[in-house]
Amino acid sequence: MQKKLYKLLYPRRCPGCDKLLEPDQKVLCARCDDLVKRTGEVVCVTCGKPLKNETRDLCPDCRKGHNFVAGRALFVYDGPMKEAMYRLKYDNRRCYARNFAVEAKKTYAGLMRAWGIECVVPIPMFAPKERKRGYNQARVLAQNIAEEFGLPVADLLERVEDTPPMKGLSPFDRRSNVKKAFHMKESEVQFNRILVVDDIFTTGATMDAVAEVLMSHGVQAVYALYVCIGEGS
Ligand SMILES: [Zn+2]
Ligand SMILES: [Zn+2]
């Protein structure tokens, strides 16, 4: 009942333009639905980045391999999704997470079953930063995605260092930047196949660091889902 009331009081907004959606629109308004780029069929088999060259399996970033098995994105980080990601992160538009979870279920229900996902883990935010912002958008996304797929959320990790923004760093610097940033909160994990959720994927340095920590605590396979990803080559 409380949930119904919540949905009545807080109708869905379009993440692309922030306008209120019609009751039959669950993800984006018609205009933004035309403007956004979904990742589509031809993607890097590892990170899910759309590939311009259809004869390749992997994008250049993934040729060296990753600690996570595979990841997929919903949208290309471009056009209205750039604004959407900004508002989700900095403008308290946590409500968009619900739309993205619906899109995730629509697009990746089969894949999620094939991956055998047992629980959803958010990329943690450095605690003082989260207190200042009031929320961690990755956790809000993880909660909504878990609910949509009927999976539990496992808040297994904490971020012990505030890493400088990754923007403008080389892939090598990005890796060393996040290498020691994550710790396990619990010493034992009862899940083998985990889905890690984040808002934007760039080179995968953060996802690799998180996967490494999870696997060193006995997790067998780490998969990833993010709302947005850049375009590949
Ligand atoms: Zn819109
Ligand atoms: Zn890739």
Side-chain angles (χ1 to χ4, degrees), residues 161-211:
E161 278 173 26
D162 191 17
T163 46
M166 299 280 229
K167 231 177 176 173
L169 293 182
S170 73
F172 178 81
D173 289 338
R174 279 171 188 252
R175 276 195 296 279
S176 49
N177 196 17
V178 291
K179 209 147 190 214
K180 293 194 183 76
F182 302 101
H183 273 190
M184 279 307 265
K185 280 200 216 164
E186 296 155 41
S187 54
E188 276 183 48
V189 189
Q190 77 255 43
F191 302 104
N192 288 320
R193 308 175 75 81
I194 282 178
L195 183 76
V196 178
V197 167
D198 206 0
D199 49 354
I200 305 174
F201 181 94
T202 46
T203 61
T206 304
M207 210 51 89
D208 276 333
V210 161

Side-chain angles (χ1 to χ4, degrees), residues 43-49 51 57-63 66 68 201-203 226 229:
V43 296
C44 167
V45 292
T46 301
C47 73
K49 197 175 289 177
L51 297 174
D57 279 345
L58 293 170
C59 75
D61 285 335
C62 289
R63 274 180 220 144
H66 284 295
F68 61 94
F201 181 94
T202 46
T203 61
Y226 12 88
I229 192 164

